[in-house]
Amino acid sequence: LQKLIYLLQATDDTLIQEQALITLSNSAAFSVNQDIIRNLDGLSVIGGMLSNCVPKVKEKALNALNNLSMNIKNQEEIQVFITQVCRTVESAPMNSEMQLAGLRLLTNMSVTSDYHQKMINSIPCFLHLLSEGTERTQIQVLKVLVNLSANPAMTRHLLRAQV
């Protein structure tokens, strides 16, 4: 895992970055690896890949963070990327795999109300995706909206959103 994280930092080869992110994502299926990746500063390295201009690399980084977000301690570190993930969801091609990957990560990050405030500005986007997206996109957006709606502090924001 340490070598994969180092490789992500050391190479500009997008194919290698993609493969390293896929491997880290698969490794994150095991809770012990989630802790190891966090302790190796892997979350910030993977999060740094969200700035990559290659859509496939960004998508794989979102998938890896999604798998890593199943851990509360990891969520505490991943939350710094929520605004960037929301912007990615908004700017991604409609119904793209990158958009879905971002929505899946936001779903996990919105299970508790800890980070709902960071998603407020994206509520109009979520509602737009709900009306314009394919069924897969709609289902994923609904999961985020259901999580947000479980928080009474979000009611006003959800009802006032301009669509």
Coordinates of all heavy atoms in Angstrom, one line a residue, residues 3 39-40 73 80-81 89 96 101 120 126 145 147 149 159:
K3 N 3.8 1.6 -1.3 CA 4.4 1.7 -2.6 C 3.4 2.3 -3.6 O 3.7 3.1 -4.5 CB 5.0 0.4 -3.1 CG 6.3 0.1 -2.3 CD 6.9 -1.2 -2.8 CE 8.1 -1.4 -1.9 NZ 8.9 -2.6 -2.2
N39 N -3.2 6.1 7.7 CA -2.0 6.3 8.4 C -0.8 6.6 7.5 O 0.2 7.2 8.0 CB -1.7 5.1 9.4 CG -2.7 5.0 10.5 OD1 -3.3 6.0 10.9 ND2 -2.9 3.8 10.9
L40 N -0.8 6.2 6.3 CA 0.2 6.5 5.3 C 0.0 7.8 4.6 O 0.7 8.1 3.6 CB 0.4 5.3 4.3 CG 0.9 4.0 4.9 CD1 0.7 2.9 3.8 CD2 2.3 4.1 5.3
K73 N -13.1 7.6 11.0 CA -11.8 8.4 11.0 C -11.4 8.9 9.6 O -10.9 10.0 9.5 CB -10.7 7.6 11.7 CG -10.9 7.4 13.2 CD -9.7 6.7 13.7 CE -9.8 6.6 15.3 NZ -8.7 5.8 15.9
V80 N -12.7 17.2 3.9 CA -12.1 18.5 3.3 C -12.3 18.5 1.8 O -12.1 19.6 1.2 CB -10.6 18.6 3.7 CG1 -10.4 18.7 5.2 CG2 -9.8 17.5 3.1
F81 N -12.6 17.4 1.2 CA -12.8 17.3 -0.2 C -14.2 17.4 -0.7 O -14.5 17.4 -1.9 CB -12.2 16.0 -0.8 CG -10.7 15.8 -0.5 CD1 -10.3 14.9 0.4 CD2 -9.8 16.6 -1.1 CE1 -8.9 14.7 0.7 CE2 -8.4 16.5 -0.8 CZ -8.0 15.5 0.1
V89 N -19.3 16.9 -9.3 CA -20.6 16.3 -9.6 C -21.3 17.3 -10.5 O -22.0 17.0 -11.5 CB -21.4 16.0 -8.4 CG1 -22.9 15.8 -8.7 CG2 -20.8 14.8 -7.7
S96 N -22.5 10.7 -16.2 CA -21.2 10.0 -16.5 C -20.8 9.2 -15.3 O -21.4 9.4 -14.1 CB -20.2 11.1 -16.7 OG -20.0 11.9 -15.6
A101 N -19.8 8.4 -9.5 CA -18.8 8.1 -8.4 C -18.8 9.2 -7.4 O -18.7 8.9 -6.2 CB -17.4 8.0 -9.1
I120 N -24.8 22.1 1.2 CA -25.9 23.0 1.0 C -25.9 23.6 -0.4 O -27.0 23.7 -1.1 CB -26.0 24.0 2.1 CG1 -26.4 23.4 3.4 CG2 -26.9 25.2 1.7 CD1 -26.3 24.3 4.6
F126 N -28.4 18.9 -7.2 CA -29.0 17.6 -6.9 C -30.4 17.5 -7.4 O -30.8 16.5 -8.0 CB -29.0 17.3 -5.4 CG -27.6 17.2 -4.7 CD1 -27.5 17.6 -3.4 CD2 -26.5 16.9 -5.5 CE1 -26.2 17.5 -2.8 CE2 -25.2 16.8 -4.9 CZ -25.1 17.2 -3.5
L145 N -30.2 13.0 -1.1 CA -31.3 13.8 -0.6 C -32.0 13.2 0.6 O -32.4 14.0 1.5 CB -32.3 14.1 -1.8 CG -31.7 15.0 -2.9 CD1 -32.7 15.1 -4.0 CD2 -31.5 16.4 -2.3
N147 N -30.6 11.3 2.8 CA -29.7 11.5 3.9 C -29.8 12.9 4.4 O -29.8 13.2 5.6 CB -28.3 11.1 3.5 CG -28.1 9.6 3.4 OD1 -28.9 8.8 3.8 ND2 -27.0 9.3 2.8
S149 N -32.3 15.0 4.1 CA -33.6 15.3 4.6 C -33.8 14.7 6.0 O -34.7 15.1 6.7 CB -34.7 14.8 3.7 OG -34.7 13.4 3.7
L159 N -36.1 23.0 1.1 CA -37.4 23.6 0.7 C -37.2 24.9 -0.1 O -38.0 25.3 -0.9 CB -38.3 23.8 1.8 CG -38.8 22.5 2.5 CD1 -39.7 22.8 3.7 CD2 -39.6 21.6 1.5

